Amino acid sequence: MDVPEVRLALRCLLPHCPEKWPLALYWDSGSQNNEIGRAQGVTAAFNGIVRQLRRAGCYEEVTPP
C-alpha cells in the first residue's frame, strides 16, 4: 500500500475532500496486517472518499448504455 501511486492518488484527492478522515483512514487501513480489518477499513475509506467527491461535484456515476 505504501507505494508512490497510492500516495500520489491520495494527494491529488486532498483538495477535493473537505473532510480528511477518508483519506487518512484509507492510508492507515492499507497498512494493517490483519487482512479482514484491512479490507473493511479500505472499503469504508473508499466509500467515504467517493461520498466526499460527489458532494464536491467531482464525481458522478456513469451508467453503461
Side-chain angles (χ1 to χ4, degrees):
M1 184 63 76
D2 187 9
V3 295
E5 295 85 0
V6 173
R7 288 194 302 269
L8 178 60
L10 293 175
R11 188 165 188 90
C12 289
L13 291 169
L14 192 61
H16 304 289
C17 292
E19 298 178 32
K20 306 307 179 212
W21 68 265
L23 302 173
L25 179 61
Y26 193 92
W27 182 258
D28 292 340
S29 296
S31 62
Q32 285 188 18
N33 291 331
N34 181 330
E35 187 174 328
I36 294 172
R38 181 176 55 244
Q40 289 176 340
V42 168
T43 300
F46 178 79
N47 290 334
I49 292 168
V50 170
R51 185 179 187 140
Q52 293 287 313
L53 293 176
R54 282 186 182 140
R55 202 180 303 167
C58 299
Y59 180 90
E60 57 185 63
E61 289 290 331
V62 177
T63 55

